[in-house]
Amino acid sequence: MTNRNRLSFPIPPKADVFHRQVLTWAQRQFTTATFLHSNGYQDDQHSHFSWIYALGADDVFYGQERGTFDALRSFANTHDDWLFGFFSYELKNQLEGLTSSNPDHIGMPLCHFFRPVVLIIPGQEHCQIACLPGYGELSDPSMVHEMVMQQDPLPERPDASVHVEARVDRDRYLRQLHAIKQHIQAGDIYEMNYCVEFFDKQANIDPAGLYYALSVASPTPFSCFYMVDDKFLMCASPERFMRKQGDRLISQPIKGTIARGVNPSEDEALRKTLAADPKERSENVMIVDLVRNDLSRTAQKDSVKVEELFGVYAFQQVHQMISTVTSRLDPGVHYLDAIKKAFPMGSMTGAPKYRAMQLIDHYEDSCRGIYSGSVGYISPEKDFDFNVVIRSIVYNQINKYLSYTAGGAITAASIPEKEYEECLLKAKAMEKALQGM
């Protein structure tokens, strides 16, 4: 592992204030940074960290027009250190020979990974700052600690000027769903993820402040803040794409959503409704089968298992149906090929994947970009953990374009009016964060 200068210090008693201080410093000091945060979901047996900061870029990888995964493999092989980054949904075009013509107003890279200058990692009772040598005061963890603690925390409700509109209105949404269902009835596909963009062309926000507001409005286990130059991702994702621990791979697709109740008895009744809903269970099992197939492409023989089917978990705005699929990585397969062979994740495409992605480009009106992609890290031991980028806001600080996207799985049993209501339900966390500012 790369030798870093290290400092341990007690976990701050006011963790919320500490996080707001680090986010303030990160946004002022760096052009590349990420913050991954589980928001207290420590009961997730598959997670290693409750949170982690990666600040500043010593070495950077950008996606290429061709062969991004091959080039990333070479980049990762040269670093015996932490790497943080993301995969854009649009990598599908390289992986599957697809094309897209929908406009991209944000301009995130196809793929971005970096070796951080500064890491801040929690332990049981202490945090650790780990700095690369050769960066002046940023190489001195005691100086980094001092600089962070001198910051004024982000305000809990920073000012913003945002006026969001939907790219697709209700009538057009219903027409689109009727057309998609005709593809299903014709046997063209049997499930498709259809999404709608909500946007503002002249938004003025504080990205780190908006991320904080979103994490308060919707605390989730795969939350992240990502900054690359003048482009930002503020993510409140409840979904894991893939985790590697040793040779073990874990994927946890989500399919199945219902609102939370206004009181405990209604909430429990809704949870039971979701757990027993035949449509939601059908959607979930379709994606589980797709994930099993994806993992089998890089797995040891007979190692693909469904550890949990139709688990129902509570989040701030919704209950979600989550299944867990695992495998053992074939020792002859590079760990990044496990991601490559399963990307994009089936929960955001539908099935069959190829045709579903063709129809997504046809029926949606915007390029998804990093939405439906994945953010995470690769450890020095070559383990990794990546989320699914949903329940997220993206922002281009130069052209002031702000966007978030919501949608769901469409099947033969889908009722268009109910799917529209579910789409609006999933958009609530982003709306609440923007209104709360």
Side-chain angles (χ1 to χ4, degrees):
M1 186 189 304
T2 298
N3 185 30
R4 288 177 174 265
N5 303 325
R6 299 174 185 272
L7 170 74
S8 291
F9 63 98
I11 292 178
K14 295 183 178 179
D16 173 71
V17 173
F18 175 72
H19 288 313
R20 287 190 284 133
Q21 286 177 305
V22 181
L23 285 167
T24 299
W25 184 63
Q27 193 166 246
R28 290 173 177 172
Q29 177 74 39
F30 301 102
T31 58
T32 301
T34 191
F35 174 41
L36 309 178
H37 193 196
S38 71
N39 284 293
Y41 285 85
Q42 274 86 5
D43 57 345
D44 177 4
Q45 62 178 314
H46 303 300
S47 292
H48 188 53
F49 296 110
S50 55
W51 53 265
I52 187 168
Y53 285 94
L55 309 170
D58 169 72
D59 197 5
V60 181
F61 173 85
Y62 285 92
Q64 304 174 354
E65 291 185 8
R66 298 181 182 85
T68 289
F69 271 93
D70 292 339
L72 177 60
R73 189 185 305 118
S74 297
F75 176 82
N77 287 344
T78 64
H79 291 295
D80 187 20
D81 199 1
W82 292 89
L83 298 174
F84 292 77
F86 67 78
F87 302 98
S88 163
Y89 173 78
E90 304 308 320
L91 281 170
K92 67 181 173 56
N93 294 341
Q94 290 185 23
L95 298 175
E96 300 292 347
L98 294 165
T99 58
S100 301
S101 57
N102 291 329
D104 178 3
H105 300 285
I106 298 295
M108 280 280 195
L110 273 176
C111 179
H112 181 266
F113 275 80
F114 68 101
R115 180 195 190 200
V117 175
V118 176
L119 281 166
I120 307 178
I121 308 171
Q124 291 296 320
E125 298 179 353
H126 288 74
C127 299
Q128 184 179 90
I129 297 176
C131 304
L132 283 177
Y135 280 88
E137 63 182 10
L138 294 178
S139 296
D140 183 345
S142 61
M143 287 292 296
V144 169
H145 182 256
E146 183 178 338
M147 286 187 283
V148 168
M149 301 310 290
Q150 287 176 349
Q151 300 296 317
D152 292 327
L154 289 170
E156 293 188 18
R157 292 178 179 238
D159 293 331
S161 175
V162 180
H163 304 282
V164 173
E165 57 183 293
R167 182 71 62 184
V168 176
D169 64 20
R170 184 179 185 275
D171 288 344
R172 183 156 187 266
Y173 181 96
L174 298 180
R175 292 196 300 272
Q176 296 284 70
L177 253 67
H178 283 299
I180 292 167
K181 288 190 69 175
Q182 289 180 350
H183 287 283
I184 296 171
Q185 290 160 4
D188 206 8
I189 51 172
Y190 54 89
E191 182 173 343
M192 176 183 144
N193 185 273
Y194 174 64
C195 297
V196 173
E197 182 195 18
F198 300 80
F199 68 97
D200 182 357
K201 295 179 180 179
Q202 290 295 324
N204 285 290
I205 66 164
D206 168 19
L210 178 55
Y211 167 74
Y212 175 78
L214 180 62
S215 65
V216 170
S218 185
T220 56
F222 302 103
S223 161
C224 71
F225 173 75
Y226 203 107
M227 172 174 62
V228 50
D229 300 322
D230 52 14
K231 302 169 184 67
F232 297 83
L233 169 71
M234 292 73 72
C235 176
S237 175
E239 184 171 0
R240 169 180 275 127
F241 167 41
M242 192 182 296
R243 167 98 167 105
K244 177 180 177 289
Q245 297 172 293
D247 69 348
R248 189 167 183 258
L249 298 177
I250 304 104
S251 185
Q252 296 181 292
I254 291 179
K255 272 290 167 276
T257 304
I258 201 167
R260 297 295 303 272
V262 298
N263 56 57
S265 60
E266 182 187 44
D267 196 55
E268 177 62 14
L270 288 167
R271 188 196 70 79
K272 290 180 178 177
T273 297
L274 175 59
D277 189 308
K279 173 188 172 291
E280 304 286 13
R281 291 168 73 93
S282 174
E283 286 182 13
N284 194 282
V285 79
M286 286 181 192
I287 297 306
V288 166
D289 283 344
L290 194 156
V291 171
R292 289 173 61 213
N293 180 68
D294 285 345
L295 291 185
S296 71
R297 300 171 71 186
T298 58
Q300 298 177 30
K301 186 177 180 181
D302 298 327
S303 69
V304 179
K305 309 291 182 186
V306 179
E307 289 196 355
E308 182 181 30
L309 190 63
F310 308 141
V312 176
Y313 294 83
F315 299 97
Q316 191 89 346
Q317 276 82 32
V318 294
H319 292 290
Q320 301 269 206
M321 185 177 287
I322 305 176
S323 294
T324 299
V325 187
T326 65
S327 69
R328 297 284 177 182
L329 184 64
D330 187 312
V333 174
H334 194 279
Y335 64 92
L336 284 174
D337 285 339
I339 295 173
K340 178 181 178 181
K341 296 295 185 181
F343 192 85
M345 58 292 297
S347 61
M348 298 308 297
T349 61
K353 257 190 185 183
Y354 182 85
R355 184 58 176 146
M357 289 189 289
Q358 284 183 317
L359 293 173
I360 285 169
D361 280 326
H362 176 73
Y363 284 103
E364 293 182 1
D365 297 286
S366 306
C367 173
R368 288 190 179 184
I370 196 172
Y371 177 78
S372 302
S374 186
V375 174
Y377 68 83
I378 302 168
S379 76
E381 297 77 26
K382 307 307 179 187
D383 287 336
F384 60 70
D385 204 357
F386 285 89
N387 74 357
V388 177
V389 178
I390 53 175
R391 320 289 160 84
S392 301
I393 300 169
V394 288
Y395 183 58
N396 184 313
Q397 201 167 42
I398 299 299
N399 66 20
K400 305 298 182 183
Y401 193 93
L402 177 144
S403 171
Y404 60 88
T405 304
I410 311 306
T411 68
S414 292
I415 299 171
E417 292 79 6
K418 288 187 176 180
E419 294 293 345
Y420 183 72
E421 292 303 316
E422 181 178 313
C423 178
L424 297 183
L425 173 63
K426 290 175 177 176
K428 269 191 175 181
M430 288 78 77
E431 291 175 8
K432 189 174 180 180
L434 291 165
Q435 292 167 1
M437 295 174 63

